[in-house]
Amino acid sequence: VIVANGRIYSVGLAAISVTNDADQDILEMVNGSSASLTLLELRVTSSLTTDERVQLRLLRRSTTGSGGTAATESAIDGNNSVTANCAVSYLVTTPGTARAVLAADHWSQLSPYRWVPTPKCEIVVPPGGRLALNLATAVGATRTWSVTAVWEEY
């Protein structure tokens, strides 16, 4: 168990358009070389008002994907002026090479998806490591989702 007192960052993406690609990374976290990170929370919500289930996977990647958009990483503590070590992209339409699948869920878009691990289940990403929230099944049509990730760097 790693006990850390580091800097906490988040990415909040409001109303992104998720297309019907069957394999894309909703979030890709590419950790820099100067710190490890611990994923603390993931949240996904949808504006869809009818039930549609999709498979979400949280997995490690050995290579970085392409086709995504850079997100803005923000420090949770307003006194923290240090730039995040981790760079986050979203809607990565050509994912990198998959490694270990750490979690897999079928999510009904009628309710929020929340991944908040207990301390013993927190995922640690070493310097230079990659972690992705992958959409493994296609949505029926373009959907509007909001996504939040929170992590600690140390």
Side-chain angles (χ1 to χ4, degrees):
V1 174
I2 295 175
V3 177
N5 287 321
R7 294 180 176 93
I8 299 177
Y9 297 89
S10 71
V11 163
L13 304 169
I16 61 173
S17 294
V18 178
T19 60
N20 60 351
D21 292 333
D23 182 21
Q24 63 182 304
D25 287 343
I26 303 306
L27 283 180
E28 179 185 54
M29 303 175 77
V30 179
N31 203 17
S33 61
S34 63
S36 291
L37 72 82
T38 298
L39 184 62
L40 302 176
E41 180 179 9
L42 283 173
R43 290 190 310 261
V44 183
T45 58
S46 174
S47 65
L48 193 62
T49 58
T50 58
D51 189 27
E52 178 182 57
R53 297 179 189 223
V54 296
Q55 184 180 14
L56 296 177
R57 301 182 306 166
L58 188 56
L59 52 86
R60 294 187 191 278
R61 293 215 179 270
S62 59
T63 59
T64 301
S66 63
T69 302
T72 301
E73 302 84 10
S74 300
I76 295 289
D77 177 356
N79 293 317
N80 176 9
S81 60
V82 177
T83 301
N85 182 59
C86 178
V88 179
S89 295
Y90 63 97
L91 300 178
V92 178
T93 53
T94 305
T97 305
R99 287 186 50 213
V101 176
L102 305 174
D105 295 289
H106 278 96
W107 169 52
S108 168
Q109 295 179 63
L110 290 176
S111 62
Y113 174 82
R114 291 200 69 200
W115 187 84
V116 184
T118 60
K120 289 193 177 199
C121 294
E122 290 174 344
I123 295 172
V124 176
V125 180
R130 295 165 185 83
L131 190 66
L133 177 63
N134 175 260
L135 174 62
T137 54
V139 292
T142 299
R143 304 291 185 228
T144 302
W145 291 2
S146 292
V147 181
T148 299
V150 180
W151 68 96
E152 181 175 21
E153 297 182 356
Y154 48 93

